[in-house]
Amino acid sequence: MAVEEDPAFIGIDLGTTFSSIVYYDTIRKEPVLIEDETGKEQTASWISLSQLDTGGSVVVGNVARNSTNLVYVIYDSKRIIGKNESDVNYEDRERWPFDVRSRDNGCAYIECYNPLTQNTEGFEPEEVSGMILKYLYGIAQNKLGNRPISNVVVTVPVDFNDRQRDATLLACKLAGIKNVSLANEPTAAIIEYKREYPNSLKGGDKIVVIDFGGGTLDVTCCKIANDSIIVESCGGNQNLGGNDFDNVMIDIIKERIKESIPGYYKRKRGMTQKEKIILNKKLIRLKKESERVKIKLSNKTVTELNLELLLSDDYYDIGINIDPTITRKAFEEECDKRGLYKEFINKIQGVTLRKGYKKRTVQLVLLIGGTCKMPRIREEVASLFDRQTFSDKNFNPLSAVAKGAGYLAYSKGVDCVSNKIVYDIVPTPIGIEVEGGIFESLIKAGEAILPKNVIRRRYSTTVNNQTYAKFKIYRGFGKYTNSDGMEYITTLTINGIPKRKTGKCVIEFTTQVNENGIMELTASVVGTDVKTNLTTVVDLSKTEEEVEQLFEHFQMFY
């Protein structure tokens, strides 16, 4: 009789530039990072189509990033997922070797050349994230053998909206991952810190988590209450991350090259496919070299460009005179000019001061993500909080989110106290548009995400014989739905209202946020069976038919 394997628990940090996966080792009582095929614990969030024309499939991860045939690659999909094309950062788009286009409904998709069909191919951002997740999940399955995987927790930025969370769940479905739940990245990090250093925090302690990765900035304030971690304030900036500092370095290097080789990186109208390939190779080499130099300057004040790798052989061989020296001072001055440090500090203060988290009132500051390794970033944080409150130097800022996700996955599958101690919150008010374009909040910022936390409001019909009603859902801090920063989410329509005089029919509107941070909406006519539900389980911008087509397209690359 076969012995049934114990279930496995998986955590995935799906990052903009790098991703990680862990399993929870129930014997060692700790989450363990799983290495990829290159022996790395961090996997590049890249895919390459370069092997399709030779009978191969899509290449994912560090192999895709490190390939010498860097032509048809896609990365940074997390900066595009769940967004409209008009919301995708234009500075990023200028530097990507692929294009971002708009669907008829405004949603952004990625267009990259397919060497097999010798034509451009459209990819939804969910597909690219799905390919990365499928790769990570595959190496986990190989590591764990035939063990069934019970629970999987995938992390997302705290400021991800419903569409972005939906799209991430859809990416998981494309990858064939089941039993998935989402967790906010800073929450996972603090869970891991509390697991590694259980005696370092006591009741009443205040913690600030600053998660500054490749694509996003997340800030979370939480308090220890007995054995609970209560999130009191959180927020983020999806358009600020290590990539933005990379872009500064890219521009510094481009300007250096431009002085000796005018037009080297210039895009031209009507470029042939061969010319596009040549330019894309230059852009990808430039991106990788910019990342390398930026990282070097975190440990050194001066470093040099690798011109041999940066420039193509035909230019390098003729001995172009380019100064290879890059200083940390010059780099930081340019970042300062562009307001990156100011934007970073403003976001932190916007979240922390909301609940009075400031110097001498905070006992622990967790700096998470690769961008937090930059000296100037640490100096900026030290100006807000006491440096001695920074986390233990042995705490790994690169693996904390993945490990915390792995522990959360384990805690969901067993009778473990940790599944009762995380009280996350809604970071931004959610509400509806009422007469006059006024935003009426249904869920306030700071509301705890709890299964029983259901918000109910009642509204009466506004015209005689009204048979339907529409509720436009928005998110933001504005007074009116057209105020700056307000985000339209979706519309809930209820049909079949009995024909009665104005105000004689009452509609009850119910809203709650589930454990994945996604809204569940219900509207019903009081005293009747008329009811409608809207639970955003897949991207609201896609129909069932479009989702089926997406699955078919995804499978073409395997």
Side-chain angles (χ1 to χ4, degrees):
M1 182 176 175
V3 178
E4 187 175 341
E5 294 271 9
D6 289 333
F9 309 98
I10 298 293
I12 301 175
D13 175 10
L14 181 62
T16 305
T17 52
F18 287 95
S19 299
S20 302
I21 187 165
V22 307
Y23 73 95
Y24 188 83
D25 190 317
T26 55
I27 297 175
R28 292 161 57 180
K29 301 294 184 184
E30 63 179 1
V32 179
L33 284 157
I34 303 173
E35 294 181 350
D36 69 4
E37 60 191 297
T38 67
K40 302 290 185 183
E41 293 178 342
Q42 283 197 303
T43 297
S45 301
W46 286 48
I47 72 163
S48 171
L49 310 179
S50 300
Q51 292 187 12
L52 295 181
D53 59 339
T54 58
S57 60
V58 66
V59 179
V60 182
N62 291 321
V63 175
R65 187 179 186 276
N66 298 335
S67 171
T68 56
N69 190 19
L70 281 171
V71 184
Y72 316 112
V73 295
I74 301 173
Y75 49 84
D76 287 356
S77 63
K78 191 174 174 181
R79 277 207 158 183
I80 308 169
I81 195 167
K83 289 185 177 180
N84 286 338
E85 180 267 340
S86 58
D87 295 327
V88 179
N89 187 294
Y90 277 89
E91 287 190 8
D92 286 337
R93 292 161 69 161
E94 282 295 310
R95 299 175 176 91
W96 284 331
F98 51 85
D99 295 314
V100 176
R101 305 293 187 197
S102 176
R103 297 292 184 198
D104 292 341
N105 60 3
C107 291
Y109 75 96
I110 296 164
E111 198 172 76
C112 184
Y113 186 79
N114 184 339
L116 177 61
T117 61
Q118 297 186 19
N119 207 339
T120 55
E121 186 89 34
F123 292 88
E124 301 300 317
E126 296 95 317
E127 289 184 275
V128 180
S129 291
M131 291 171 180
I132 296 164
L133 286 165
K134 184 178 177 70
Y135 173 77
L136 292 169
Y137 197 61
I139 63 176
Q141 287 176 313
N142 289 336
K143 174 74 175 180
L144 298 169
N146 296 321
R147 288 175 63 186
I149 295 176
S150 176
N151 291 313
V152 180
V153 171
V154 177
T155 59
V156 293
V158 70
D159 215 30
F160 253 24
N161 61 29
D162 283 40
R163 276 181 59 186
Q164 291 169 304
R165 290 171 187 267
D166 292 336
T168 303
L169 288 173
L170 181 52
C172 293
K173 290 183 179 181
L174 288 170
I177 305 175
K178 299 178 181 178
N179 303 320
V180 180
S181 58
L182 303 180
N184 290 335
E185 291 163 357
T187 303
I190 185 59
I191 282 291
E192 176 57 18
Y193 192 88
K194 195 171 189 301
R195 188 197 68 80
E196 289 190 33
Y197 304 95
N199 300 319
S200 64
L201 299 170
K202 62 183 184 302
D205 282 355
K206 290 185 174 181
I207 305 157
V208 174
V209 184
I210 300 170
D211 185 353
F212 205 12
T216 57
L217 168 65
D218 279 346
V219 183
T220 296
C221 300
C222 46
K223 182 174 67 176
I224 302 296
N226 298 321
D227 288 329
S228 300
I229 299 171
I230 301 174
V231 176
E232 294 197 301
S233 178
C234 60
N237 187 336
Q238 295 183 36
N239 293 309
L240 182 65
N243 285 355
D244 298 282
F245 293 87
D246 294 341
N247 290 342
V248 172
M249 185 61 72
I250 284 172
D251 290 343
I252 290 173
I253 297 173
K254 280 175 76 172
E255 192 62 32
R256 192 78 58 90
I257 302 300
K258 181 181 174 182
E259 292 173 0
S260 297
I261 317 172
Y264 187 70
Y265 293 109
K266 189 174 182 179
R267 291 182 184 271
K268 302 175 185 176
R269 288 188 177 182
M271 294 175 70
T272 65
Q273 185 56 36
K274 184 177 180 180
E275 288 173 326
K276 288 180 181 178
I277 289 173
I278 293 171
L279 178 60
N280 284 349
K281 284 184 176 180
K282 293 176 183 177
L283 291 174
I284 296 165
R285 283 198 299 263
L286 175 61
K287 175 178 174 59
K288 292 177 66 175
E289 180 63 4
S290 298
E291 290 175 355
R292 187 192 69 81
V293 171
K294 181 197 74 173
I295 292 170
K296 281 284 185 183
L297 289 179
S298 289
N299 299 311
K300 301 171 67 175
T301 56
V302 181
T303 190
E304 290 192 352
L305 298 172
N306 188 332
L307 294 173
E308 186 173 3
L309 291 178
L310 181 63
L311 300 175
S312 56
D313 294 338
D314 52 338
Y315 279 106
Y316 186 73
D317 288 344
I318 61 176
I320 298 296
N321 184 26
I322 298 173
D323 179 10
T325 303
I326 303 286
T327 67
R328 183 194 292 173
K329 181 181 178 183
F331 174 57
E332 289 181 349
E333 285 176 351
E334 189 59 32
C335 293
D336 228 342
K337 285 181 187 176
R338 301 193 191 191
L340 294 183
Y341 302 120
K342 184 177 181 180
E343 197 172 345
F344 171 70
I345 288 298
N346 286 347
K347 173 52 67 175
I348 294 174
Q349 290 183 313
V351 175
T352 57
L353 296 182
R354 199 181 299 156
K355 288 291 184 177
Y357 281 62
K358 53 189 177 181
K359 190 173 286 190
R360 287 182 290 279
T361 69
V362 171
Q363 283 69 46
L364 174 65
V365 176
L366 280 185
L367 295 170
I368 305 299
T371 311
C372 279
K373 287 190 168 186
M374 297 173 65
R376 176 66 182 271
I377 291 298
R378 298 181 74 84
E379 289 171 15
E380 294 289 345
V381 177
S383 71
L384 299 179
F385 306 101
D386 297 321
R387 189 179 284 272
Q388 58 264 35
T389 64
F390 284 12
S391 54
D392 188 288
K393 64 180 181 181
N394 294 317
F395 186 65
N396 189 337
L398 301 181
S399 63
V401 171
K403 286 186 172 183
Y407 186 58
L408 283 169
Y410 165 70
S411 71
K412 288 175 182 291
V414 297
D415 185 17
C416 175
V417 71
S418 68
N419 66 343
K420 301 172 185 173
I421 65 171
V422 187
Y423 297 102
D424 230 327
I425 62 169
V426 177
T428 310
I430 299 169
I432 64 172
E433 183 181 57
V434 296
E435 191 174 356
I438 295 173
F439 175 65
E440 182 170 302
S441 176
L442 296 174
I443 302 179
K444 298 177 181 178
E447 289 272 4
I449 298 175
L450 298 170
K452 296 181 181 179
N453 195 7
V454 179
I455 309 297
R456 290 184 173 87
R457 295 284 191 278
R458 289 191 171 189
Y459 301 93
S460 299
T461 51
T462 56
V463 296
N464 285 330
N465 299 321
Q466 183 174 339
T467 58
Y468 73 94
K470 288 186 176 181
F471 297 92
K472 290 185 177 179
I473 316 298
Y474 288 84
R475 183 199 314 269
F477 290 91
K479 183 177 179 180
Y480 297 93
T481 56
N482 63 356
S483 302
D484 288 343
M486 294 299 293
E487 174 199 355
Y488 167 74
I489 300 174
T490 188
T491 297
L492 179 65
T493 302
I494 182 168
N495 293 298
I497 300 173
K499 292 183 179 180
R500 294 176 186 168
K501 291 183 179 180
T502 301
K504 293 300 182 181
C505 271
V506 177
I507 301 167
E508 184 172 80
F509 189 87
T510 301
T511 311
Q512 69 180 124
V513 179
N514 65 27
E515 65 174 2
N516 290 324
I518 296 173
M519 286 188 304
E520 296 176 353
L521 313 172
T522 300
S524 61
V525 179
V526 177
T528 73
D529 294 330
V530 179
K531 186 176 182 179
T532 185
N533 294 292
L534 178 57
T535 301
T536 52
V537 292
V538 294
D539 188 348
L540 292 170
S541 62
K542 291 181 173 60
T543 64
E544 288 184 16
E545 183 181 356
E546 288 172 331
V547 172
E548 288 178 8
Q549 292 173 351
L550 186 60
F551 271 86
E552 291 175 6
H553 187 259
F554 184 84
Q555 293 301 326
M556 288 170 53
F557 299 92
Y558 290 94

